[in-house]
Structures are given as C-alpha cells and as structure tokens.
Amino acid sequence: MIQRISVFTGWLVLAFVVYATLSPVGARPVLALPHLEHFAAFALMGLAFALAYPNRVLLVVALVVGTAAGLEALQLLTPDRHGRAADAFVKALGGISGISVGQTLSFLLRINLARSDGSTRF
C-alpha cells in the first residue's frame, strides 16, 4: 500500500516540480525562501521515489539528481528564468537526503514485516 501511494506521490511531485521550475516567474508558487523550497521539494520527491522503488536505488538517484541538473539547464532556455549550479546542488542535496530517509524507512519497514511474520529471529 505504501509503495503504491509513493509511486503516485513521486510522479505527482515530479510533475509539480517541472511546472514550478519552468513556468514564468509570476506563475510560480512561492511558499518559503527559494533554496528551502528547492531542498524540500526534491527531498519529498526523493523520499517518495525511494519508497516507491526501494530496490532501484541507482535508478532513483539518477532520476532525482538528473532532474535537478536537467531542469536547471532547461531554465537557461526560458527568457525570464536562470539556471544556476548552486540551485542544482541544493536540489540534488535535497533529493539525496530524501532518498536516504526513504531507504532507511524502507529498511525499517522490511525489518518490521519480517518480525511480525516470525520468519526472522534476532
């Protein structure tokens, strides 16, 4: 159940991040300081994808970090936006942080399920 919700959430957050990153500045939602927004959005995306695809860590890292770098590069093509290496770094750091938390939660959930099944003795 958690995995299904995480798949939906991860792709929904990715779509929102693409919209917010490439839309005109006036249409972009503002909730907090830009670096905090970037970090939090990518952390949420990384967390969701890590829970959605727990056995595909390298694919999730490539997706999240690649999205951070790719969206910053695409901003260079828009007239009112600017791509910055510092922004890409903050986004990638947020994504990797979210992936780390997601992998830890996934591990703990597997341990909990193994204990409740009684199949593993520690």
Side-chain angles (χ1 to χ4, degrees), residues 5 36 39 66 76 92 94 99 102 122:
I5 293 169
L36 180 59
F39 185 91
L76 297 172
I99 292 167
F122 290 101

Side-chain angles (χ1 to χ4, degrees), residues 31-43:
L31 302 173
L33 296 173
H35 283 303
L36 180 59
E37 286 179 346
H38 299 163
F39 185 91
F42 274 80

Side-chain angles (χ1 to χ4, degrees), residues 16-27:
F16 180 76
V17 164
V18 168
Y19 165 76
T21 302
L22 299 178
S23 65
V25 174

Side-chain angles (χ1 to χ4, degrees), residues 12-94:
L12 184 65
V13 171
L14 176 62
F16 180 76
V17 164
V18 168
Y19 165 76
T21 302
L22 299 178
S23 65
V25 174
R28 189 180 85 75
V30 177
L31 302 173
L33 296 173
H35 283 303
L36 180 59
E37 286 179 346
H38 299 163
F39 185 91
F42 274 80
L44 179 60
M45 182 171 38
L47 172 66
F49 279 134
L51 291 174
Y53 307 106
N55 298 323
R56 307 268 184 185
V57 180
L58 293 178
L59 179 65
V60 169
V61 169
L63 174 68
V64 173
V65 173
T67 299
L71 288 175
E72 285 302 312
L74 285 173
Q75 281 186 357
L76 297 172
L77 301 176
T78 61
D80 63 341
R81 302 302 294 263
H82 54 275
R84 293 184 179 154
D87 289 345
F89 179 75
V90 169
K91 291 174 181 179
L93 187 61

